[in-house]
Structures are given as C-alpha cells and as structure tokens.
Amino acid sequence: MLQAVERALALRADLGVVGIATEAQIERAIEGAGLEWWDEAPLEGRVYGFLFDGVVYVRRGVTPGTRLVVKAHELGHALLGHDAGAFTAVHGGIPVSRHEQDAHAFAFAALLGPPAATGTGITRQIQAGGRADLPVGFLFTSGSVLLALR
Amino acid sequence: MSTKQPRQELIAFASWLRRQRRARRISQNALAEKLGVSKSAVSEYEAGARRPRLESLRKMVDPLETPLEQIEALLPSEDAETSRLPGSYVGWTPVATASSTSAAITRPALLFLGPNGEIEGIDDLDEAEQTSVRRSIATFRERRAARGGGSASGGGAGARATG
C-alpha cells in the first residue's frame, strides 16, 4: 500500500501536478508507461474500464470524472506490475484483493495528492474530489482503504 | 484485546466499526450487549480477526445508524474465495448501491483474461457484461489493425480518436 502511494506521489512530482491531476496529465503518464488508452470501449452494465494487453479500456460516454479515475486506477495496475501476475477474486464490498486496494490507493494519491493522516483530512480530500466531479463511490472506497491501513 | 491475527479482507470493516462505535461513544461492552455477543467477539470484529454473522450485522443497523446494505458493502460476501488464475487483466466496476449519493459504495468485480484474451474466470458479471468486454477488445484490435498493422503507436490520443 505504501509503495502504491509513494509511486503515485513520485508520478505527480514527475508530471508537475499541483492540486487535482487533470486527465491530460494522467494520459501523459499512460503514454509514458508505454500504454494506450481507448475512451470508446462499448462496455455495458457495471464494467467501466479495464487494463488488458497494454491498453486501458474506458467505457464510452462516462463522465469526465469517471474517465479520469478509471485511467488513474488502471495506470496504477500497470505501474505497480499487476499486469503479469495472478489476482485475488472478490465478491463485493471494498476491494479484498491487495492489487485492487493498491490500485485504488494509487489512483487516490495520484489524483488528489498525499493521503491525509486523519479521518478528517481524508474527508476533506473526498469532498475536494467530489467538487471536481470524481465518482463518489471511488472516493469513499479508496478513502476507506487508506484510512483502514494508515 | 484479540490475540487472533487480523484478516486482510476484514480490515476495512474493522476500522469502520471501531470509528463508528467510538464516534457514538458506545463501549465495546454496550455494543456487545446490543448485538447479543461477547465483548471479546466485538474486540475481534474491531481487530479484523473475525467476521460478524449476518444476524449481528443486522443488529448494528440501529446503534451505528447505518443501513445494512452499507455495512455489508464493507465486507466480502461469506462465500468469497481466493482464486489464483493465470490472467493478465484486472478491472473495476463502480456501482452506487446506497440510497444516498454521499454514501455510494464501489462494488468491484474482477475479470480474468488469459494471455490471448480468453475469459478464464469472471466474478459477478452477467452475460451482457462479459460480452461487452470481449467486444471491446475485439473492436479495439480491429481498429488498431485498420490504422496500420497493429502498431500501438499513436498512443492514447490515437486510440481515443478511433472511437
């Protein structure tokens, strides 16, 4: 988890991100990692994005905030080396898989900056993310994961 | 204090339970009484060493002022199992499950694709969702090939332009 956050903060430094990262900055990082992305994936139901074979697939028609989070999350998987191993299946709830928790933590830190050390601080970050139209589900889940493991 | 080892999948719930109980100034003893369990059981819940039974979760709704659906969303389902599959894919699916926007929870569902794109195992996705994943991969590959020999060059911007 700590490694995921550190990796995200290093990325922010490399990109010169101040405040909430923009989609253009995350896309630059995706390209820098040797990946492609596709914003028009005809995904349905509950599937909003995935990483496969060097491509970040993003569901077409989603809000800019969801698009940004999906890209940051999947970039996290790639940068943390999750694309060549085995994964843990989960059945609902906050991600059980360590990889999913790490990808969420990465996305949170990459987009919003260093996770606060207190619940109040995390709440403020969640509120800031909400004002930037990031998906509230992501914000609560990743914030909870960071709080639980802080 | 519990002496059992915390379980990774229970840590988020455990932390939430501890914070909620303390925020409402409820002692472990008092919560145990409301749930009809021992104090050591509550201690183990808060240590992530033990998963509460559904009956206990239901009894948390009133004292912790939280809908059962949200409490359950913090936990893996009881039939959660660990699978190690030779895939090279991982995804996530945000789904708002709570009644209020502020409490929306993400429920992840993972897929596992084999090295050639075959879906080797899918968790919690219906047929239409599985089909949409396969169609996405196939469509992207067709468009990339049409762009010129399957090169990934053009990066994300090129990929986006094909949509």
Side-chain angles (χ1 to χ4, degrees):
Chain A
M1 180 65 66
L2 184 60
Q3 182 192 10
V5 171
E6 287 177 347
R7 187 70 185 81
L9 298 181
L11 177 69
R12 281 175 66 88
D14 289 346
L15 296 171
V17 177
V18 176
I20 296 178
T22 65
E23 187 170 3
Q25 288 168 325
I26 295 300
E27 288 173 349
R28 187 144 46 97
I30 291 173
E31 287 183 308
L35 305 171
E36 289 182 279
W37 75 85
W38 188 37
D39 288 346
E40 298 292 333
L43 293 166
E44 295 181 5
R46 298 160 296 164
V47 186
Y48 281 71
F50 62 92
L51 170 68
F52 181 69
D53 195 23
V55 180
V56 174
Y57 291 82
V58 185
R59 180 170 171 160
R60 65 186 171 200
V62 298
T63 66
T66 296
R67 208 167 54 219
L68 177 57
V69 165
V70 170
K71 286 177 179 173
H73 175 101
E74 304 302 345
L75 173 63
H77 280 307
L79 294 182
L80 297 170
H82 296 173
D83 55 347
F87 302 99
T88 302
V90 297
H91 299 256
I94 281 179
V96 173
S97 156
R98 176 65 183 270
H99 282 154
E100 285 305 298
Q101 291 181 349
D102 283 353
H104 258 32
F106 176 93
F108 188 100
L111 296 175
L112 297 166
T118 65
T120 303
I122 290 278
T123 299
R124 288 199 188 100
Q125 289 182 298
I126 289 173
Q127 290 169 341
R131 287 193 294 274
D133 289 328
L134 299 184
V136 68
F138 160 75
L139 292 167
F140 272 86
T141 304
S142 53
S144 297
V145 167
L146 288 163
L147 273 176
L149 300 178
R150 76 180 190 272
Chain B
M1 177 64 72
S2 170
T3 56
K4 294 183 181 177
Q5 291 297 310
R7 290 158 54 186
Q8 172 83 11
E9 71 272 22
L10 298 180
I11 288 175
F13 170 79
S15 174
W16 172 85
L17 177 61
R18 188 168 58 251
R19 289 199 310 276
Q20 294 299 317
R21 178 182 61 76
R22 288 175 177 170
R24 289 166 176 75
R25 300 181 186 283
I26 303 171
S27 68
Q28 284 191 335
N29 267 329
L31 182 60
E33 192 170 321
K34 291 176 189 297
L35 303 183
V37 300
S38 66
K39 182 193 172 192
S40 65
V42 171
S43 177
E44 288 178 356
Y45 299 159
E46 294 188 354
R50 179 171 170 180
R51 180 198 170 93
R53 292 177 181 275
L54 180 57
E55 183 183 353
S56 296
L57 296 178
R58 288 190 176 121
K59 291 177 179 174
M60 290 178 189
V61 169
D62 286 339
L64 301 181
E65 301 172 278
T66 305
L68 178 61
E69 184 183 44
Q70 287 184 41
I71 298 174
E72 287 187 304
L74 293 162
L75 287 159
S77 66
E78 293 196 76
D79 62 351
E81 59 184 26
T82 297
S83 303
R84 298 186 68 79
L85 299 169
S88 58
Y89 162 94
V90 61
W92 71 291
T93 66
V95 180
T97 60
S99 54
S100 70
T101 304
S102 63
I105 299 291
T106 292
R107 295 177 63 85
L110 304 187
L111 307 182
F112 302 89
L113 300 194
N116 297 314
E118 70 275 22
I119 297 178
E120 299 189 351
I122 286 185
D123 168 48
D124 199 28
L125 291 188
D126 62 30
E127 188 58 38
E129 291 166 337
Q130 296 178 32
T131 300
S132 76
V133 170
R134 293 190 182 96
R135 189 167 61 238
S136 293
I137 294 170
T139 304
F140 178 81
R141 287 178 169 173
E142 285 170 9
R143 294 185 180 200
R144 183 163 59 181
R147 285 208 308 271
S151 167
S153 62
R160 175 200 268 171
T162 63

